[in-house]
Each structure stands twice: as structure tokens, then as C-alpha cells.
């Protein structure tokens, strides 16, 4: 500095002041942008140029929770739901699945409906005999008093047994359709053998068993291991059925710890055909038919 004259020093200092002032101005502008959210606007503008117009950035999604919650907040959708439990579930979940809010329109009353519910407290007329009973082409006792099924249930059973076979489980149809008269015989047999209280826990009440619909299948394995015994629940075949039966339209009908709801003791061998669409929904709900259709 000593060698600089006054004017040179003065002009150098003024340049420094201008640079410092510019830096301060830029910093102030950046601070303003950050505080006002301008940076995000700029970032969004940049990212929306990079992507097709219809895709939203994650930031944009986070900022619009109102729009994604609208379905559950709509009064009409909850008013349509008949089951109070369903309504409570739907309104507490931020992103309800379509099945949680959609109205269930399956017919559980008509005798020929695939989702008809029969139980000891919802009996069917002694005269009811389903149409289209056929013998499914699966391993079974070749007795038409034991193994007939409704045609669609039989076809699905064949498909399911083939798939299980491919995975190493040789399934066996123990019992399908039962006439009212056959149920009377069966009931008498169990009452005499084990007493009335025991018989009441099984799905053997005449007119109170879904076997009369031709849609219930008692399933075991060709080796007969744990046939019609709760120890069937410990087999790989049961695990396979529990995980896969819904894909073929079958659901486990009398699960463990649900006797208070179904009226029937845990019957891991008993699967019920309801059609693929209903089976998927009921399976995904994790409920029994009684719970799913609001009967409990
Ligand atoms: Zn059964």
C-alpha cells in the first residue's frame, strides 16, 4: 500500500466495497428465496421441465394430502357402507383401499348364490337341492353321496388340486355335497358317538351345513394324515390351502378362534367356494364370512 498513491488506493477500496455489497445482496436474495419457499418453486420448475408434465414430484404429493384423503371424508361413501365397523375403519385410515369403502353387493340370502351363508342359526330348507351337481375329477372316495359339488365349485376344485399337486401337496376330497337326509344320518352318528354338545360344534346340523349348498369341501391329503382332525392345521397342505385357496375361489370357512362368530369349531379341513372375486376380497379382509358380511 505504501507504494500506491492516494487515488489508486481510493479506487481499489471502492472496488472492494462494491464486491462486498454485491456478495451481501446475493446472500440476502438467497436467504429471502429460502424463507419464502422460492427455492422449492425453482427446484419444482426445474424438475417439471425434466419430467413429463403428468408426473408429479414427491414434494408436490406431500403438499396435497387433502386431495388424497377426499374418498374417506366423503359423507356419501360412508353412508353407503352398511357395516359400522367398515365405516370406522374407512374414516380412520388415511388411504383406504377400494375394497374398504366399496359397497359389498354379494348376495348372502338367495339359496343359489355363491355367497349364500348357511349356519346352525341360518338354516336352509330341507327340500333345497342345488342344480348342476357334478363329480369333480379329483382324488376322492367314489361315492356320489359324499363327493358331488356344484359345477363351478368342482371346476375350481380341480384347478386348485392341480396347483397344489404342482407344489407337492396331493389333496383329497373327503366330503362335498350332503343332502338333507345325509346330514340327518351324520348328525345321528355324531350324537350317538360323542354326544349332542360335540355334534353341535361341527357343521352337521341338518339344514345348517353349507355342504347342502354343494359349495363346501372337506379337504385332506391322499396319505390320510390328520384327516378331519385339528392336527391337519400343522400340515404343509393346510398352509398351502390357507395361502392359496382364495386364488381358486375358496376360503377357509371355520378358522381358529372364530367359533363364537361362525358357530362351528376350528375346522382346518373345511373350505368354502364363494367365487374368485368374493374369495379374494374376503381373504384380504382377514375376516370370516359372518364378519365380512356384517352378520356378527
Ligand atoms: Zn365340512
Amino acid at each position: 500500500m505504501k507504494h500506491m498513491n492516494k487515488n489508486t488506493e481510493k479506487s481499489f477500496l471502492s472496488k472492494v466495497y462494491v464486491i462486498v455489497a454485491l456478495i451481501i445482496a446475493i446472500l440476502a436474495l438467497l436467504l429471502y428465496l429460502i424463507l419464502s419457499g422460492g427455492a422449492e418453486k425453482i427446484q419444482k420448475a426445474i424438475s417439471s421441465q425434466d419430467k413429463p408434465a403428468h408426473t408429479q414430484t414427491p414434494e408436490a404429493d406431500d403438499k396435497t394430502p387433502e386431495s388424497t384423503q377426499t374418498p374417506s371424508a366423503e359423507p356419501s361413501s360412508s353412508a353407503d357402507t352398511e357395516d359400522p365397523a367398515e365405516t370406522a375403519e374407512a374414516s380412520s385410515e388415511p388411504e383406504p383401499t377400494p375394497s374398504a369403502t366399496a359397497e359389498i353387493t354379494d348376495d348372502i340370502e338367495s339359496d343359489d348364490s355363491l355367497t349364500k351363508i348357511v349356519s346352525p342359526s341360518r338354516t336352509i330348507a330341507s327340500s333345497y337341492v342345488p342344480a348342476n351337481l357334478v363329480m369333480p375329477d379329483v382324488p376322492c372316495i367314489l361315492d356320489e353321496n359324499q363327493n358331488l359339488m356344484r359345477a363351478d365349485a368342482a371346476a375350481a376344485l380341480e384347478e386348485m388340486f392341480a396347483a397344489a399337486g404342482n407344489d407337492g401337496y396331493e389333496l383329497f376330497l373327503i366330503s362335498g355335497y350332503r343332502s338333507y337326509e345325509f346330514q340327518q344320518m351324520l348328525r345321528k352318528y355324531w350324537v350317538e358317538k360323542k354326544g349332542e354338545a360335540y355334534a353341535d360344534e361341527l357343521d352337521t346340523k341338518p339344514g345348517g351345513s353349507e355342504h347342502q349348498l354343494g359349495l363346501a369341501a372337506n379337504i385332506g391329503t391322499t396319505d390320510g394324515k390328520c384327516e378331519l382332525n385339528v392336527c391337519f392345521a400343522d400340515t404343509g397342505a393346510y398352509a398351502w390351502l390357507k395361502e392359496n385357496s382364495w386364488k381358486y375361489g375358496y376360503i377357509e370357512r371355520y378358522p381358529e378362534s372364530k367359533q363364537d362368530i361362525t358357530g362351528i369349531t376350528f375346522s382346518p379341513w373345511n373350505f368354502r367356494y364363494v367365487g374368485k372375486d368374493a374369495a379374494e376380497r374376503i381373504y384380504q379382509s382377514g375376516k370370516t364370512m359372518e364378519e365380512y358380511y356384517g352378520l356378527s
Side-chain angles (χ1 to χ4, degrees), residues 56-65 68:
Q56 285 187 309
T57 62
E59 290 88 343
D61 285 342
D62 290 343
K63 284 197 165 62
T64 54
T68 56

Side-chain angles (χ1 to χ4, degrees), residues 65 68-73 89-97:
T68 56
Q69 282 176 356
T70 317
S72 66
E89 244 181 54
S91 56
S92 65
E93 279 173 19
E95 284 179 11
T97 54

Side-chain angles (χ1 to χ4, degrees), residues 44-263:
K44 212 168 107 179
I46 292 165
S47 58
S48 67
Q49 279 170 356
D50 292 342
K51 294 168 187 173
H54 63 271
T55 58
Q56 285 187 309
T57 62
E59 290 88 343
D61 285 342
D62 290 343
K63 284 197 165 62
T64 54
E66 296 88 349
S67 67
T68 56
Q69 282 176 356
T70 317
S72 66
E74 254 176 43
S76 63
S77 70
S78 48
D80 288 343
T81 314
E82 283 173 17
D83 185 357
E86 288 279 334
T87 312
E89 244 181 54
S91 56
S92 65
E93 279 173 19
E95 284 179 11
T97 54
S99 62
T101 47
E103 192 179 1
I104 297 164
T105 54
D106 303 333
D107 179 1
I108 61 165
E109 303 294 341
S110 306
D111 291 351
D112 288 327
S113 170
L114 291 181
T115 46
K116 164 80 173 177
I117 295 180
V118 169
S119 70
S121 58
R122 288 172 61 88
T123 53
I124 193 165
S126 60
S127 58
Y128 177 76
V129 178
N132 304 322
L133 285 173
V134 299
M135 188 72 87
D137 185 15
V138 297
C140 63
I141 307 158
L142 291 173
D143 178 352
E144 63 175 25
N145 284 319
Q146 289 274 349
N147 298 120
L148 295 171
M149 297 285 295
R150 288 256 292 273
D152 27 15
L157 198 75
E158 289 167 3
E159 207 187 328
M160 182 165 78
F161 277 34
N166 287 338
D167 287 345
Y169 300 107
E170 299 303 326
L171 301 182
F172 183 84
L173 177 61
I174 302 162
S175 183
Y177 168 70
R178 292 175 191 157
S179 66
Y180 187 86
E181 291 71 27
F182 190 84
Q183 291 177 73
Q184 284 179 311
M185 260 171 51
L186 202 61
R187 168 81 187 181
K188 196 164 169 277
Y189 168 83
W190 282 113
V191 170
E192 282 170 7
K193 194 179 176 185
K194 297 258 188 171
E196 202 165 333
Y198 183 89
D200 281 349
E201 291 194 327
L202 303 170
D203 64 335
T204 56
K205 182 178 175 178
S209 166
E210 291 181 345
H211 284 279
Q212 196 180 332
L213 298 174
L215 300 174
N218 286 352
I219 299 171
T221 45
T222 50
D223 60 11
K225 194 184 168 201
C226 288
E227 189 167 291
L228 300 180
N229 190 303
V230 284
C231 70
F232 183 65
D234 301 327
T235 66
Y238 170 72
W240 188 94
L241 284 166
K242 205 172 165 63
E243 196 183 323
N244 297 291
S245 70
W246 62 274
K247 297 170 191 168
Y248 307 93
Y250 281 86
I251 55 159
E252 185 185 12
R253 185 66 179 92
Y254 307 118
E256 197 167 15
S257 313
K258 298 283 183 155
Q259 188 172 352
D260 289 350
I261 294 159
T262 62

Side-chain angles (χ1 to χ4, degrees), residues 27-40:
L27 285 174
L29 184 64
L30 280 174
L31 190 67
Y32 168 76
L33 285 172
I34 289 162
L35 289 175
S36 67
E40 276 176 69

